[in-house]
Amino acid sequence: MDTLTRMRAFIDVVEAEGFSAAGRKIGRSKALLSKYVRELEDELGALLLNRTTRQFSLTEAGHTYYKRASEIVREIDNLADVVRESSGDVRGRIKLSAPRSFADAPVGQSLIDFAKEHPDIVLDINLDDRFVDLVEEGFDLAVRITRLESSSLIARRLAPFSVCLCASPELIEMHGEPKRPQDLAGLPCIIDTNGRWLSNWPFLGDGGEMISVSVSGPIEVNSPMAARAAAVAGLGFAILPDFIAAPDIADGKLVAMLDDRILPGGGIFAVYPHRRYLPAKVRVFVDFLVQWFKVRDRD
């Protein structure tokens, strides 16, 4: 058995956080994966995993080996991508990190459409609202919704992004429409605790300066989708990402307001690590997303 096969088995076990989970993911038995990892340890003369009946943990040597082995395997796979691309055959697995709000919103259809159009590419989607370390955690790329700052990553803009203040017509009829951001301090508001503002909502003041309005209300939830549902139900005013609120605004379920007081937005980006060459499968995926959003913007 060659070292590369054992190396891949070790990486699969670590990333799946267990032999059984790794076996289910790649279609191999737990016993076979355990054999490969044991042979790798024998070959290296070092213990990589501390095993118990219920779980395992990486040894110090295991941490070091996992990081370097992951980089080596990615380079080998990327080289294979280059060869396949030259023959018009792009396939493989893309490990993608994306926010839950992106996948749950209508724009998440972009991921489904890509999978349908490229059946030879496995899209391994990990939904997490934190900013993962792409290199350390072995991701090929991530979708990020942010104001992009300086970074060691390469970024490609997919679409603009902004937020909107909105509420249901029934709530506006009951409480009236706020004329200035400060009016929200006395109105029921829905707070998305997943956002960085929490209960201190930023706006543009009368002179164009940034101001902060402290708000409160009946619901605090760490999900923009849940905040949207609460706003549609008439429970309060909410600040929502535009791509989440847009369908309900179009249907008249929500009404946007104070548009001229909303801070300038950022963007939706595909970000990936600096590499000597971008794997063909990743380039195909990013190109697809760029085109998908371009068509959607025209519509």
Side-chain angles (χ1 to χ4, degrees):
M1 184 57 59
D2 64 279
T3 299
L4 182 58
T5 299
R6 297 183 184 119
M7 189 184 295
R8 288 186 186 277
F10 172 70
I11 293 170
D12 287 334
V13 169
V14 173
E15 293 184 347
E17 300 182 347
F19 288 91
S20 297
R24 289 191 296 270
K25 183 175 181 179
I26 66 174
R28 289 185 171 178
S29 69
K30 173 183 176 182
L32 183 60
L33 291 177
S34 180
K35 175 177 176 290
Y36 287 166
V37 173
R38 188 169 56 253
E39 289 175 348
L40 180 63
E41 290 175 325
D42 290 343
E43 180 183 325
L44 295 171
L47 186 67
L48 301 177
L49 299 175
N50 290 314
R51 302 169 179 81
T52 67
T53 55
R54 291 185 175 273
Q55 61 185 7
F56 74 84
S57 61
L58 283 166
T59 64
E60 184 176 348
H63 277 289
T64 302
Y65 190 82
Y66 169 73
K67 182 176 180 179
R68 290 291 294 120
S70 299
E71 294 170 355
I72 291 169
V73 169
R74 279 199 298 272
E75 286 298 315
I76 291 172
D77 290 343
N78 292 346
L79 179 59
D81 283 341
V82 171
V83 175
R84 292 191 187 107
E85 184 183 19
S86 66
S87 63
D89 181 19
V90 180
R91 60 178 64 237
R93 176 182 293 269
I94 296 175
K95 189 175 180 184
L96 168 71
S97 172
R100 292 183 184 278
S101 55
F102 178 88
D104 291 341
V107 289
Q109 183 64 35
S110 61
L111 306 180
I112 305 302
D113 290 346
F114 175 82
K116 289 169 62 178
E117 189 166 314
H118 297 275
D120 290 333
I121 297 178
V122 177
L123 199 54
D124 182 358
I125 306 168
N126 290 258
L127 301 180
D128 199 326
D129 291 318
R130 69 185 176 91
F131 275 18
V132 301
D133 186 317
L134 297 184
V135 176
E136 187 72 25
E137 299 179 50
F139 285 95
D140 292 298
L141 78 162
V143 172
R144 290 185 176 168
I145 305 168
T146 183
R147 289 185 181 89
L148 200 65
E149 299 174 354
S150 59
S151 164
S152 61
L153 303 173
I154 302 172
R156 189 166 175 189
R157 186 182 177 95
L158 303 176
F161 165 75
S162 61
V163 297
C164 60
L165 174 70
C166 53
S168 69
E170 295 78 13
L171 187 82
I172 295 173
E173 184 177 351
M174 182 184 303
H175 292 280
E177 182 174 335
K179 303 302 180 186
R180 302 170 66 234
Q182 294 87 336
D183 296 340
L184 290 165
L187 297 172
C189 295
I190 299 161
I191 298 168
D192 178 7
T193 57
N194 206 38
R196 56 181 174 173
W197 304 311
L198 299 179
S199 59
N200 296 300
W201 289 359
F203 293 94
L204 294 175
D206 296 338
E209 75 285 5
M210 192 184 85
I211 63 171
S212 179
V213 178
S214 181
V215 299
S216 61
I219 287 186
E220 297 182 7
V221 60
N222 65 336
S223 163
M225 295 300 293
R228 179 207 66 83
V232 170
L235 291 177
F237 295 84
I239 288 184
L240 300 173
D242 56 355
F243 61 82
I244 288 178
D248 291 316
I249 292 174
D251 291 342
K253 296 178 182 178
L254 291 175
V255 176
M257 60 204 80
L258 295 179
D259 291 344
D260 60 338
R261 297 301 188 95
I262 300 297
L263 294 179
I268 303 175
F269 296 90
V271 298
Y272 41 90
H274 285 277
R275 289 184 179 142
R276 282 179 293 175
Y277 46 77
L278 184 65
K281 60 189 177 184
V282 175
R283 184 166 63 255
V284 166
F285 178 60
V286 174
D287 288 345
F288 178 91
L289 291 182
V290 169
Q291 185 61 28
W292 192 93
F293 278 95
K294 185 181 296 183
V295 171
R296 179 177 177 271
D297 186 57
R298 288 201 297 263
D299 294 342

